[in-house]
Amino acid sequence: MMVILSVVDIVLLIAGLAFYLYIVGSQLNRIATNLEECAEIVRTIVGHAEAIKPGVEHINRTGGVVAGALPLLYSMAEGIVAGVAPRPAQPAKRPPARPAAGRRRSRLHDAVGYQPGNGAVSGDAKPDQQANLVIG
């Protein structure tokens, strides 16, 4: 009985493998047919491209010349615009430059306990005044 079951198992295994190989073979045949069609389409495209290849090379050469001239054309256009654009009237005398936020004062001095001498605010101390270090 054991031998008969073993033979049946082997026959079923071979049948399953044969079915699997049939399915894989049919899929590979379908893929081969599609690849042949694609190869024919590619040959047609290459034939069409051969006819326009000299024109594309000429277009690329002309594009290179135009791209090389763009910086010069750009600078010439800037010169034309600068020459034509109205300029605002300049004041007779420029006032001295002032900081937008007013006078600067460092907060780091407060953090470490530094105070300029004679109660002066940081930046207002005269050179002959000495700075005091407050510890505590």
Side-chain angles (χ1 to χ4, degrees), residues 15-35:
L17 288 174
F19 180 71
Y20 172 76
L21 289 175
Y22 173 76
I23 291 175
V24 169
S26 64
Q27 288 178 346
L28 288 175
N29 283 334
R30 193 172 55 222
I31 290 171
T33 304
N34 289 340
L35 286 176

Side-chain angles (χ1 to χ4, degrees), residues 39-132:
E40 188 61 37
I41 292 171
V42 168
R43 284 188 204 100
T44 304
I45 292 171
V46 168
H48 293 161
E50 290 295 326
I52 64 170
K53 186 176 181 181
V56 171
E57 290 173 353
H58 176 70
I59 290 169
N60 286 340
R61 264 195 319 275
T62 304
V65 170
V66 171
L70 282 177
L72 177 63
L73 293 172
Y74 182 74
S75 65
M76 292 171 71
E78 281 183 336
I80 291 170
V81 169
V84 175
R87 293 191 177 117
Q90 295 291 333
K93 184 178 176 186
R94 291 180 57 184
R98 293 181 317 191
R103 195 184 63 187
R104 283 186 56 156
R105 184 170 93 70
S106 174
R107 290 177 177 53
L108 291 176
H109 293 169
D110 297 337
V112 297
Y114 173 80
Q115 293 179 344
N118 294 335
V121 177
S122 177
D124 291 343
K126 295 186 174 69
D128 60 334
Q129 297 174 333
Q130 292 185 345
N132 299 324

Side-chain angles (χ1 to χ4, degrees), residues 1-8:
M1 183 74 176
M2 226 26 183
V3 174
I4 295 174
L5 288 178
S6 296
V7 171
V8 170

